[in-house]
Amino acid sequence: MRIYYGKIHWSPYAVNELFVLVFPADLLLKDPVCGYWQWTKDSKGNPKVNCTQSSVITGVNTGDSNGVMRLAFIFDNYYSFDATVSNDASTLQVTMSNPAGEKSGVMTLRQSYFDRNKISVSKIFTGKFSWSYYLSDEMIIAVLPNGSVVKDGDQICLYFQWTKDASGVYKSNNSVVNKLYSVANLSDGQSTMQFLSNDQYYTWGGTLSADGDTLTLEMQDPSKNGGRSTLERVGPMTKASRKALIVRYDTGTDSGIFDVQKLLTNTLGFDRKSITMLYYNTEPKNSDRTCTSGQKPPTATRFKEEFKNLLRNAVRGDVRFLYVDAHGSPRDAGDSSGEKDGVDEGWKLAKDDNGRQAEVVYDNWLTTVIKSMLGPGVNLTILTSSCLGGGMLDTHNGTPGVLLAGCHETQANVKAFKGKDPWTAAIIHVVAGHQKKKRNLPTYAQLYISAKKYIINLMQNGYISGKLYLGPSKDEKHPDPHRPDRSSHQDPQLVFCQDYINVDVDRFLAPFAQWETQTASMNPGPAMRFPKEEL
């Protein structure tokens, strides 16, 4: 993660205003970038209007003979930015332009904060702050690099400009990069904290709300003169921008779905409240299933409602994730379906809240909903451990989305790794391993290849057991179907449409680049499938 700050000059709308650029991950293609500044006056003439922007890096050029890196990104689909990174990454030389060809001068931003985390869980907040006559309705930006689970010693980064500082200088920038102390995690879910200004003159106090959406800051000088303001969460990783639905039915009560939830929250920084869980705590064979943790049962009707909610209002740059741990069920698709094998695949979910009977949600229902509701530029990723899982995304119908399935649609799934699905465990291992080693998120292709290698490693070292799990087929491009006794080879599948996603570049559960997905929702291109079409 890197944070740079300086001044923006875009006359007459932004004149000598604070300018902060946050790179929550790294400086690589398609990494997120956030920009924060205050309009001196906006296009309607309103003074001191906060501007908060999120996007991705759309261009990286390292071809300079001196090793200089140049970045390109666009905010609000209107303002283009070009940034030259110094050799030691300590400064950015930034220019800003608009579609009319107007261009700013060079704006120099200095690096204020850096850590080696490439998978960001940071939380960013913005608002207004006033204090005496030195601060009058000025924009303030606060960053918690370690996210909303804070403890003593964690860093906080704060940026604002004095309306007039103690020396009489107008619009002088100020930053605070310091460690938190006296952190208290309260019983109601809120967290309180304190920190000092860099010169230790001002004492700051903070209260982070239980949902992590607001940060209330209070500043005091030694005479206890103070100001107070509540900041709202912004940035590329808000609850609205990243949501997930996790479903389990009739496959046992192992911890797999909670392992997935932990991956989203602890490794990838998803908000827990942005994740909907549908499952039973107990699944007795001949009596009602029960929900004892406050969640709702995984009925087919409820799944359909929640899946629509998952897609609803998603906009370009958002990420949506679905994980399903359920039995697969086939049916004759009919001659006009377009299915090459003439079979529809589906997930068995509960028919009623008691869970005694099943109802199937078929792939053609998913196709209809996805094609009618998924917004352009939205990353929809589906991970499933179900039998027949490789057939759950109908790419032959031009359905956008990317599917990571534990087996081919002719194969059965066996929970052979400590009672859990090997494919899901492998996905978790690879992504969490990237974070642990301070590496960036893997691309979808890297994740697919690495997860398969991890399963082979587990097999070779005796961690996968059971007579029903037969490992990969002899030729994974021609998968062996499951056997009558339900034993089965398992050949993981990566399924997508070619123009919807670039699996060699796009990263797991990261936003897509805008320039590549403008028309993909309307024409996602030909269907692709790994390993069959893997190089």
Side-chain angles (χ1 to χ4, degrees), residues 113 150 177 189 206 236 352 372 405 486:
Y113 177 81
V150 293
V177 179
D352 302 302
S372 64
R486 302 302 295 175

mmCIF file of all heavy atoms in Angstrom, residues 113 150 177 189 206 236 352 372 405 486:
data_model
loop_
_atom_site.group_PDB
_atom_site.id
_atom_site.type_symbol
_atom_site.label_atom_id
_atom_site.label_comp_id
_atom_site.label_asym_id
_atom_site.label_seq_id
_atom_site.Cartn_x
_atom_site.Cartn_y
_atom_site.Cartn_z
ATOM 1 N N TYR A 113 3.130 7.284 3.116
ATOM 2 C CA TYR A 113 2.999 6.000 3.820
ATOM 3 C C TYR A 113 3.268 4.872 2.831
ATOM 4 O O TYR A 113 2.882 4.933 1.661
ATOM 5 C CB TYR A 113 1.608 5.841 4.416
ATOM 6 C CG TYR A 113 1.406 4.493 5.085
ATOM 7 C CD1 TYR A 113 1.862 4.261 6.378
ATOM 8 C CD2 TYR A 113 0.792 3.451 4.404
ATOM 9 C CE1 TYR A 113 1.705 3.014 6.978
ATOM 10 C CE2 TYR A 113 0.622 2.200 4.998
ATOM 11 C CZ TYR A 113 1.090 1.987 6.284
ATOM 12 O OH TYR A 113 0.941 0.756 6.873
ATOM 13 N N VAL A 150 -8.777 -2.904 14.815
ATOM 14 C CA VAL A 150 -7.599 -2.125 15.202
ATOM 15 C C VAL A 150 -7.086 -2.544 16.573
ATOM 16 O O VAL A 150 -7.837 -3.046 17.409
ATOM 17 C CB VAL A 150 -7.922 -0.614 15.204
ATOM 18 C CG1 VAL A 150 -8.182 -0.129 13.791
ATOM 19 C CG2 VAL A 150 -9.117 -0.302 16.091
ATOM 20 N N VAL A 177 0.910 10.720 10.405
ATOM 21 C CA VAL A 177 1.174 9.289 10.232
ATOM 22 C C VAL A 177 1.770 8.812 11.540
ATOM 23 O O VAL A 177 2.935 9.087 11.839
ATOM 24 C CB VAL A 177 2.118 9.016 9.054
ATOM 25 C CG1 VAL A 177 2.381 7.519 8.920
ATOM 26 C CG2 VAL A 177 1.546 9.574 7.762
ATOM 27 N N GLY A 189 -19.397 -3.298 19.876
ATOM 28 C CA GLY A 189 -18.776 -3.429 18.567
ATOM 29 C C GLY A 189 -17.969 -2.226 18.130
ATOM 30 O O GLY A 189 -17.213 -2.298 17.155
ATOM 31 N N GLY A 206 -10.430 8.855 18.339
ATOM 32 C CA GLY A 206 -11.267 8.305 17.272
ATOM 33 C C GLY A 206 -12.226 7.263 17.793
ATOM 34 O O GLY A 206 -11.907 6.521 18.728
ATOM 35 N N PRO A 236 -12.423 1.879 -2.619
ATOM 36 C CA PRO A 236 -12.822 0.787 -3.505
ATOM 37 C C PRO A 236 -13.372 -0.426 -2.776
ATOM 38 O O PRO A 236 -13.784 -1.379 -3.415
ATOM 39 C CB PRO A 236 -11.505 0.432 -4.206
ATOM 40 C CG PRO A 236 -10.472 0.703 -3.153
ATOM 41 C CD PRO A 236 -10.979 1.916 -2.397
ATOM 42 N N ASP A 352 -38.395 -26.241 1.594
ATOM 43 C CA ASP A 352 -39.052 -25.484 2.654
ATOM 44 C C ASP A 352 -38.036 -25.207 3.762
ATOM 45 O O ASP A 352 -36.937 -25.762 3.777
ATOM 46 C CB ASP A 352 -40.247 -26.263 3.229
ATOM 47 C CG ASP A 352 -41.272 -26.594 2.167
ATOM 48 O OD1 ASP A 352 -41.777 -25.645 1.542
ATOM 49 O OD2 ASP A 352 -41.543 -27.790 1.950
ATOM 50 N N SER A 372 -29.850 -10.548 -17.250
ATOM 51 C CA SER A 372 -30.801 -9.438 -17.125
ATOM 52 C C SER A 372 -30.409 -8.441 -16.035
ATOM 53 O O SER A 372 -30.821 -7.284 -16.072
ATOM 54 C CB SER A 372 -32.211 -9.960 -16.829
ATOM 55 O OG SER A 372 -32.259 -10.619 -15.572
ATOM 56 N N ALA A 405 -15.016 -24.196 -10.641
ATOM 57 C CA ALA A 405 -15.737 -25.377 -10.175
ATOM 58 C C ALA A 405 -14.761 -26.481 -9.802
ATOM 59 O O ALA A 405 -13.735 -26.684 -10.472
ATOM 60 C CB ALA A 405 -16.695 -25.876 -11.250
ATOM 61 N N ARG A 486 -20.446 -43.894 -7.282
ATOM 62 C CA ARG A 486 -20.264 -42.478 -6.914
ATOM 63 C C ARG A 486 -18.804 -42.112 -6.659
ATOM 64 O O ARG A 486 -18.510 -40.977 -6.254
ATOM 65 C CB ARG A 486 -21.094 -42.085 -5.685
ATOM 66 C CG ARG A 486 -22.583 -42.321 -5.855
ATOM 67 C CD ARG A 486 -23.148 -41.579 -7.037
ATOM 68 N NE ARG A 486 -23.095 -40.128 -6.894
ATOM 69 C CZ ARG A 486 -23.455 -39.273 -7.850
ATOM 70 N NH1 ARG A 486 -23.859 -39.725 -9.029
ATOM 71 N NH2 ARG A 486 -23.387 -37.974 -7.636
#
